[in-house]
Amino acid sequence: MTGVGLEHYLVVSAALFCLGLLGVVIRRNLIVMYMSLELMLNAATLALVAFSHHQPPSPHGSPLDGQIMVFFIITVAAAEVAVGLALIVALYRKRQTTDVADLTSMKL
């Protein structure tokens, strides 16, 4: 039996990204759409770590370049969660709904 290769990680990453994209396209609830966007971001992070882990040694760069970039992605994702959820809560308090169809008209 062989080990887990790069292809396996990329298949899981692509599946997660497609599930996230499907959630954004099909669902009309802001919170579900937001979670789907986070799932897409995590799929990209998984692919980045997989590429970093399976790259051959390079004399020019660190073998941890991909993992270092993941820390920046996690930092940006944390800020995105704080701002995004604050906006969703503010919209819910204003309109009493999280349905996207009810929020298409942003007039006060």
Side-chain angles (χ1 to χ4, degrees):
M1 183 174 221
T2 62
V4 179
L6 178 62
E7 301 84 18
H8 297 97
Y9 289 112
L10 294 180
V11 166
V12 170
S13 177
L16 286 175
F17 191 85
C18 288
L19 282 174
L21 184 64
L22 188 67
V24 169
V25 171
I26 290 179
R27 303 297 271 178
R28 295 289 101 199
N29 187 337
L30 274 177
I31 296 174
V32 174
M33 291 173 71
Y34 190 67
M35 288 190 314
S36 298
L37 286 171
E38 289 294 324
L39 188 64
M40 292 167 59
L41 182 65
N42 287 332
T45 304
L46 176 64
L48 186 63
V49 170
F51 279 125
S52 174
H53 179 71
H54 287 89
Q55 77 178 357
S58 171
H60 303 298
S62 169
L64 299 177
D65 285 343
Q67 283 90 351
I68 292 169
M69 287 183 63
V70 166
F71 285 119
F72 289 113
I73 291 171
I74 290 171
T75 304
V76 169
E80 174 193 355
V81 166
V83 172
L85 286 178
L87 288 172
I88 290 172
V89 168
L91 278 171
Y92 181 77
R93 286 183 180 173
K94 182 82 171 166
R95 299 287 179 110
Q96 299 299 318
T97 184
T98 58
D99 190 70
V100 176
D102 296 337
L103 298 173
T104 55
S105 171
M106 294 302 289
K107 296 178 185 176
L108 297 175

